[in-house]
Short mmCIF file of all heavy atoms in Angstrom, two decimals:
data_model
loop_
_atom_site.label_atom_id
_atom_site.label_comp_id
_atom_site.label_asym_id
_atom_site.label_seq_id
_atom_site.Cartn_x
_atom_site.Cartn_y
_atom_site.Cartn_z
N PRO A 1 -47.39 29.23 -50.93
CA PRO A 1 -46.97 27.97 -50.31
C PRO A 1 -46.00 27.16 -51.18
O PRO A 1 -45.03 26.59 -50.67
CB PRO A 1 -48.28 27.21 -50.10
CG PRO A 1 -49.34 28.24 -50.12
CD PRO A 1 -48.84 29.36 -50.97
N LEU A 2 -46.25 27.12 -52.49
CA LEU A 2 -45.36 26.36 -53.37
C LEU A 2 -43.98 27.00 -53.44
O LEU A 2 -42.96 26.30 -53.45
CB LEU A 2 -45.96 26.23 -54.77
CG LEU A 2 -47.17 25.30 -54.86
CD1 LEU A 2 -47.77 25.34 -56.26
CD2 LEU A 2 -46.81 23.88 -54.46
N ALA A 3 -43.92 28.33 -53.46
CA ALA A 3 -42.62 29.01 -53.46
C ALA A 3 -41.86 28.72 -52.18
O ALA A 3 -40.64 28.46 -52.20
CB ALA A 3 -42.82 30.51 -53.66
N ASP A 4 -42.56 28.76 -51.04
CA ASP A 4 -41.92 28.45 -49.76
C ASP A 4 -41.42 27.01 -49.74
O ASP A 4 -40.32 26.73 -49.25
CB ASP A 4 -42.89 28.67 -48.60
CG ASP A 4 -43.13 30.14 -48.32
OD1 ASP A 4 -42.42 30.99 -48.88
OD2 ASP A 4 -44.04 30.44 -47.52
N TRP A 5 -42.22 26.09 -50.25
CA TRP A 5 -41.83 24.68 -50.27
C TRP A 5 -40.60 24.48 -51.15
O TRP A 5 -39.66 23.78 -50.78
CB TRP A 5 -42.99 23.81 -50.74
CG TRP A 5 -42.66 22.36 -50.79
CD1 TRP A 5 -42.58 21.56 -51.89
CD2 TRP A 5 -42.32 21.51 -49.68
NE1 TRP A 5 -42.22 20.28 -51.55
CE2 TRP A 5 -42.06 20.22 -50.19
CE3 TRP A 5 -42.23 21.72 -48.31
CZ2 TRP A 5 -41.70 19.15 -49.38
CZ3 TRP A 5 -41.87 20.64 -47.51
CH2 TRP A 5 -41.61 19.37 -48.04
N ASN A 6 -40.60 25.10 -52.33
CA ASN A 6 -39.45 24.97 -53.23
C ASN A 6 -38.19 25.58 -52.62
O ASN A 6 -37.10 25.04 -52.77
CB ASN A 6 -39.75 25.60 -54.59
CG ASN A 6 -40.71 24.75 -55.40
OD1 ASN A 6 -40.71 23.53 -55.29
ND2 ASN A 6 -41.53 25.38 -56.22
N ALA A 7 -38.35 26.69 -51.91
CA ALA A 7 -37.20 27.30 -51.22
C ALA A 7 -36.67 26.36 -50.14
O ALA A 7 -35.45 26.20 -49.98
CB ALA A 7 -37.60 28.64 -50.62
N HIS A 8 -37.58 25.73 -49.40
CA HIS A 8 -37.18 24.77 -48.38
C HIS A 8 -36.41 23.61 -49.00
O HIS A 8 -35.35 23.20 -48.49
CB HIS A 8 -38.42 24.25 -47.63
CG HIS A 8 -38.16 23.02 -46.82
ND1 HIS A 8 -37.46 23.05 -45.64
CD2 HIS A 8 -38.48 21.73 -47.04
CE1 HIS A 8 -37.36 21.82 -45.16
NE2 HIS A 8 -37.98 21.00 -46.00
N LEU A 9 -36.92 23.06 -50.09
CA LEU A 9 -36.25 21.95 -50.76
C LEU A 9 -34.87 22.36 -51.26
O LEU A 9 -33.91 21.59 -51.17
CB LEU A 9 -37.10 21.42 -51.92
CG LEU A 9 -38.39 20.71 -51.54
CD1 LEU A 9 -39.15 20.30 -52.79
CD2 LEU A 9 -38.14 19.53 -50.64
N SER A 10 -34.77 23.57 -51.77
CA SER A 10 -33.49 24.07 -52.26
C SER A 10 -32.48 24.18 -51.13
O SER A 10 -31.32 23.79 -51.28
CB SER A 10 -33.70 25.43 -52.93
OG SER A 10 -32.47 25.93 -53.40
N LEU A 11 -32.91 24.69 -49.98
CA LEU A 11 -32.01 24.78 -48.83
C LEU A 11 -31.57 23.40 -48.36
O LEU A 11 -30.40 23.19 -48.03
CB LEU A 11 -32.70 25.52 -47.68
CG LEU A 11 -32.88 27.02 -47.84
CD1 LEU A 11 -33.72 27.59 -46.71
CD2 LEU A 11 -31.53 27.72 -47.91
N ALA A 12 -32.51 22.46 -48.33
CA ALA A 12 -32.17 21.09 -47.90
C ALA A 12 -31.16 20.47 -48.87
O ALA A 12 -30.19 19.83 -48.45
CB ALA A 12 -33.43 20.23 -47.81
N ARG A 13 -31.36 20.67 -50.17
CA ARG A 13 -30.42 20.14 -51.17
C ARG A 13 -29.04 20.78 -51.02
O ARG A 13 -28.01 20.12 -51.16
CB ARG A 13 -30.94 20.38 -52.58
CG ARG A 13 -31.91 19.32 -53.07
CD ARG A 13 -32.19 19.48 -54.56
NE ARG A 13 -32.75 20.78 -54.90
CZ ARG A 13 -34.05 21.04 -54.95
NH1 ARG A 13 -34.93 20.09 -54.71
NH2 ARG A 13 -34.48 22.24 -55.25
N ASP A 14 -29.02 22.09 -50.75
CA ASP A 14 -27.75 22.80 -50.62
C ASP A 14 -26.94 22.32 -49.41
O ASP A 14 -25.72 22.35 -49.43
CB ASP A 14 -27.97 24.31 -50.52
CG ASP A 14 -28.44 24.92 -51.82
OD1 ASP A 14 -28.34 24.25 -52.87
OD2 ASP A 14 -28.91 26.07 -51.80
N ARG A 15 -27.63 21.90 -48.35
CA ARG A 15 -26.94 21.43 -47.15
C ARG A 15 -26.56 19.95 -47.24
O ARG A 15 -25.71 19.48 -46.50
CB ARG A 15 -27.83 21.63 -45.92
CG ARG A 15 -27.95 23.07 -45.49
CD ARG A 15 -28.64 23.16 -44.15
NE ARG A 15 -29.87 22.39 -44.12
CZ ARG A 15 -31.05 22.87 -43.82
NH1 ARG A 15 -31.19 24.12 -43.49
NH2 ARG A 15 -32.11 22.10 -43.81
N ALA A 16 -27.20 19.23 -48.13
CA ALA A 16 -26.96 17.78 -48.25
C ALA A 16 -25.56 17.53 -48.82
O ALA A 16 -25.03 18.33 -49.59
CB ALA A 16 -28.02 17.14 -49.13
N VAL A 17 -25.00 16.41 -48.43
CA VAL A 17 -23.69 16.02 -48.94
C VAL A 17 -23.79 15.78 -50.45
O VAL A 17 -24.73 15.14 -50.91
CB VAL A 17 -23.16 14.77 -48.19
CG1 VAL A 17 -24.01 13.56 -48.46
CG2 VAL A 17 -21.72 14.50 -48.51
N PRO A 18 -22.85 16.32 -51.21
CA PRO A 18 -22.93 16.10 -52.67
C PRO A 18 -22.51 14.68 -53.03
O PRO A 18 -21.67 14.07 -52.37
CB PRO A 18 -21.93 17.13 -53.23
CG PRO A 18 -20.98 17.40 -52.11
CD PRO A 18 -21.74 17.19 -50.83
N LEU A 19 -23.10 14.18 -54.08
CA LEU A 19 -22.70 12.87 -54.60
C LEU A 19 -21.44 13.05 -55.46
O LEU A 19 -21.33 14.05 -56.18
CB LEU A 19 -23.80 12.27 -55.48
CG LEU A 19 -25.08 11.83 -54.78
CD1 LEU A 19 -26.08 11.33 -55.81
CD2 LEU A 19 -24.80 10.76 -53.75
N PRO A 20 -20.55 12.08 -55.42
CA PRO A 20 -19.43 12.14 -56.37
C PRO A 20 -19.98 12.15 -57.79
O PRO A 20 -20.93 11.43 -58.10
CB PRO A 20 -18.65 10.85 -56.08
CG PRO A 20 -19.07 10.44 -54.70
CD PRO A 20 -20.49 10.92 -54.53
N GLU A 21 -19.38 12.95 -58.64
CA GLU A 21 -19.89 13.13 -60.00
C GLU A 21 -20.04 11.82 -60.77
O GLU A 21 -21.07 11.61 -61.43
CB GLU A 21 -19.02 14.13 -60.79
CG GLU A 21 -19.59 14.49 -62.14
CD GLU A 21 -21.03 14.98 -62.10
OE1 GLU A 21 -21.38 15.76 -61.20
OE2 GLU A 21 -21.82 14.56 -62.96
N PRO A 22 -19.06 10.90 -60.72
CA PRO A 22 -19.25 9.64 -61.45
C PRO A 22 -20.47 8.86 -60.96
O PRO A 22 -21.19 8.25 -61.76
CB PRO A 22 -17.96 8.86 -61.19
CG PRO A 22 -16.95 9.90 -60.82
CD PRO A 22 -17.73 10.98 -60.11
N LEU A 23 -20.74 8.89 -59.66
CA LEU A 23 -21.90 8.19 -59.11
C LEU A 23 -23.19 8.88 -59.55
O LEU A 23 -24.15 8.20 -59.95
CB LEU A 23 -21.82 8.11 -57.59
CG LEU A 23 -22.98 7.42 -56.88
CD1 LEU A 23 -23.16 5.99 -57.39
CD2 LEU A 23 -22.77 7.44 -55.38
N ALA A 24 -23.21 10.20 -59.51
CA ALA A 24 -24.41 10.93 -59.95
C ALA A 24 -24.71 10.63 -61.41
O ALA A 24 -25.87 10.39 -61.79
CB ALA A 24 -24.21 12.43 -59.73
N ALA A 25 -23.68 10.61 -62.25
CA ALA A 25 -23.87 10.31 -63.67
C ALA A 25 -24.37 8.88 -63.87
O ALA A 25 -25.24 8.63 -64.70
CB ALA A 25 -22.56 10.53 -64.44
N LEU A 26 -23.83 7.95 -63.09
CA LEU A 26 -24.26 6.56 -63.19
C LEU A 26 -25.73 6.42 -62.79
O LEU A 26 -26.49 5.69 -63.43
CB LEU A 26 -23.38 5.68 -62.31
CG LEU A 26 -23.69 4.18 -62.32
CD1 LEU A 26 -23.55 3.61 -63.73
CD2 LEU A 26 -22.75 3.46 -61.36
N LEU A 27 -26.14 7.12 -61.75
CA LEU A 27 -27.54 7.06 -61.32
C LEU A 27 -28.47 7.62 -62.40
O LEU A 27 -29.56 7.07 -62.63
CB LEU A 27 -27.73 7.80 -60.00
CG LEU A 27 -27.09 7.13 -58.78
CD1 LEU A 27 -27.15 8.04 -57.57
CD2 LEU A 27 -27.74 5.79 -58.50
N VAL A 28 -28.06 8.68 -63.06
CA VAL A 28 -28.86 9.23 -64.16
C VAL A 28 -28.96 8.20 -65.28
O VAL A 28 -30.04 7.95 -65.83
CB VAL A 28 -28.26 10.55 -64.69
CG1 VAL A 28 -28.91 10.97 -66.00
CG2 VAL A 28 -28.41 11.65 -63.64
#
């Protein structure tokens, strides 16, 4: 179940719009 959940999250992240790099760095 955990492997399936992690795979699902990975697919969702891959389909999501990427953040501009400067914004991602600022959020970190």
Side-chain angles (χ1 to χ4, degrees):
L2 289 175
D4 287 350
W5 180 246
N6 287 329
H8 165 74
L9 292 178
S10 179
L11 288 173
R13 276 190 301 268
D14 289 346
R15 287 190 310 236
V17 65
L19 291 177
E21 187 53 42
L23 179 58
L26 181 59
L27 291 171
V28 168

